[in-house]
Amino acid sequence: FYTSTYHSNTNERKSYSMKLGIQLYTVRDFLSQNMEDTISSLAKMGYQTVEHFGGFSCDADRLAEALSANNMSCVSWHAPLHYLENDLFFGTMAYFKRVGLKYCVFTVGPDIILDNEKRADLIKRMDAVQKALAPYGIKTGYHNHWWEFDQDALPFNEINKNTSLLMEFDTGNAMKNNWTLEKAAALYPGRQEILHIKPYSFEKEFNCDMGEDSVDWAAVKKVAREQNAQYLIFEHEDAPTAMQRAEKNIAMMKKLLL
């Protein structure tokens, strides 16, 4: 299994005002092979929290225990919206409570977000779920890909104008469509508690790391501080090199963003 060359102690990790996390989609192949070892490796690199995704493939007790053993948390989840509706709601909430979730984040594909009627329905459903989660102390947000910025960013603007969802802005996804965190925060300030830190290069697309990409990280750092961001969540698309990318880029996050 992957062994980190970077070691960090608990006090060092807690010293940052913005906590560093990783979207577990990044390490999905490793996670499916051995969840406990994957969590342990990420903790040794210095990650303080994780963000999960999709259905509940990880047993809640196993996940909670693995995180607790490494002084980590599961701060957020990219959850399917229907898991928070109708008969599935209370089972989902029991799972969220067990893993100590703070944010529930929604994201959808272009087939929904670029269709006017489906997008309007999505907005109504997200608003209803947001109200349902509020009494449980769980905040809700929306995570962008690049298609939200199609149609002159109409989908992105409609979501933000018609909801009070947090904006889990993804730097790399937005850059692919020539949008920046600086521009988004100027339009919709106060929604950037949790951010996705993803490198993107106009030459290499997502096959790059921080520091060799096209994202203006100095501008990201400035906005993150101005908007009082609490969590910076790293994500990368390349599954085979995920652990190496995770280690290299947490060092770059500390250098460029903290």
Side-chain angles (χ1 to χ4, degrees):
F1 201 79
Y2 181 80
T3 302
S4 172
T5 57
Y6 175 86
H7 296 277
S8 171
N9 59 44
T10 301
N11 291 331
E12 181 182 6
R13 293 207 307 274
K14 286 187 175 180
S15 68
Y16 301 117
S17 58
M18 291 184 284
K19 292 186 177 181
L20 302 181
I22 186 167
Q23 164 56 254
L24 290 177
Y25 177 78
T26 304
V27 294
R28 54 197 179 276
D29 289 354
F30 295 89
L31 194 71
S32 65
Q33 294 169 17
N34 192 317
M35 182 187 70
E36 286 81 3
D37 283 355
T38 301
I39 296 297
S40 177
S41 292
L42 294 172
K44 289 175 182 176
M45 293 178 198
Y47 287 100
Q48 300 157 282
T49 192
V50 301
E51 178 178 71
H52 220 312
F53 67 98
F56 302 135
S57 57
C58 290
D59 177 78
D61 288 334
R62 279 186 64 200
L63 177 59
E65 289 165 7
L67 292 168
S68 178
N70 290 281
N71 196 33
M72 296 179 77
S73 66
C74 182
V75 69
S76 57
W77 203 291
H78 282 194
L81 185 57
H82 71 276
Y83 276 39
L84 282 304
E85 297 175 315
N86 304 318
D87 293 342
L88 295 178
F89 180 83
F90 291 106
T92 300
M93 292 311 301
Y95 191 104
F96 283 176
K97 181 179 180 180
R98 179 66 182 94
V99 301
L101 203 74
K102 188 172 182 178
Y103 301 96
C104 181
V105 181
F106 308 121
T107 185
V108 298
D111 57 319
I112 294 176
I113 209 67
L114 298 179
D115 181 287
N116 291 341
E117 291 185 7
K118 291 180 180 179
R119 183 171 63 251
D121 180 65
L122 172 70
I123 288 171
K124 290 179 181 178
R125 291 172 63 201
M126 292 192 299
D127 184 63
V129 170
Q130 181 182 33
K131 292 174 181 175
L133 291 183
Y136 294 87
I138 296 178
K139 297 182 179 181
T140 46
Y142 185 85
H143 170 266
N144 65 275
H145 288 83
W146 51 91
W147 42 78
E148 285 84 1
F149 304 103
D150 286 349
Q151 302 175 354
D152 198 28
L154 175 64
F156 181 78
N157 287 315
E158 280 196 359
I159 289 172
N160 284 285
K161 287 178 179 178
N162 293 292
T163 75
S164 58
L165 295 170
L166 294 175
M167 181 193 299
E168 190 187 54
F169 193 87
D170 187 299
T171 56
N173 286 346
M175 180 62 67
K176 181 177 172 68
N177 218 339
N178 293 295
W179 263 70
T180 65
L181 174 62
E182 188 174 20
K183 182 176 181 180
L187 290 171
Y188 308 105
R191 299 191 183 196
Q192 292 77 32
E193 282 187 32
I194 180 168
L195 299 172
H196 252 221
I197 303 303
K198 182 187 289 182
Y200 181 81
S201 165
F202 290 121
E203 292 77 31
K204 298 181 180 180
E205 296 194 333
F206 294 111
N207 186 28
C208 62
D209 296 297
M210 295 177 68
E212 57 184 46
D213 62 329
S214 303
V215 178
D216 183 347
W217 295 112
V220 171
K221 177 179 179 178
K222 181 174 183 292
V223 173
R225 292 189 172 187
E226 289 174 348
Q227 300 300 325
N228 195 30
Q230 301 296 303
Y231 297 91
L232 305 179
I233 309 295
F234 173 70
E235 183 179 33
H236 205 281
E237 300 290 336
D238 189 39
T241 63
M243 298 304 282
Q244 290 90 343
R245 302 277 192 179
E247 183 171 22
K248 181 176 182 179
N249 284 277
I250 191 172
M252 294 305 295
M253 282 199 289
K254 290 179 178 181
K255 178 180 178 180
L256 298 175
L257 300 177
L258 297 181

